[in-house]
């Protein structure tokens, strides 16, 4: 896996979480375009991969905020 900084990982997690929230809102409201359903699925998979990478980083980096805090849960 390519190495990225912890800061970049945090920003990517926050950005994907924001996209997921927006896409979920569009789907829930019925305003989503058909391709947005696929985008939501793709972003959710990306979020899972980012969470796994974050969990690995958190084993060795002490000052990372909790994952749930990053995604707004």
């Amino acid at each position: 896996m390519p190495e990225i900084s912890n800061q970049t990982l945090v920003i990517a997690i926050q950005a994907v979480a924001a996209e997921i929230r927006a896409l979920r809102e569009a789907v829930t409201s019925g305003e989503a375009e058909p391709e947005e359903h696929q985008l939501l699925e793709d972003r959710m998979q990306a979020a899972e991969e980012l969470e796994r990478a974050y969990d690995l980083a958190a084993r060795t980096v002490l000052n990372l905020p909790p994952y749930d805090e990053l995604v707004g849960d």
Side-chain angles (χ1 to χ4, degrees):
M1 178 173 155
E3 290 295 318
I4 61 171
S5 71
N6 293 325
Q7 182 65 24
T8 299
L9 181 59
V10 166
I11 291 168
I13 289 167
Q14 291 171 326
V16 169
E19 283 191 55
I20 288 171
R21 283 191 298 275
L23 288 166
R24 280 185 175 155
E25 186 176 308
V27 168
T28 301
S29 71
E31 296 177 10
E33 299 293 326
E35 62 269 6
E36 289 178 304
H37 291 272
Q38 183 61 47
L39 278 175
L40 177 57
E41 195 172 308
D42 293 344
R43 295 311 182 265
M44 290 176 68
Q45 182 172 348
E48 290 174 10
E49 292 177 21
L50 287 167
E51 184 174 10
R52 283 193 297 274
Y54 193 79
D55 287 345
L56 286 173
R59 292 180 188 171
T60 58
V61 178
L62 299 175
N63 62 345
L64 290 176
Y67 181 84
D68 290 343
E69 188 177 299
L70 295 176
V71 297
D73 285 347

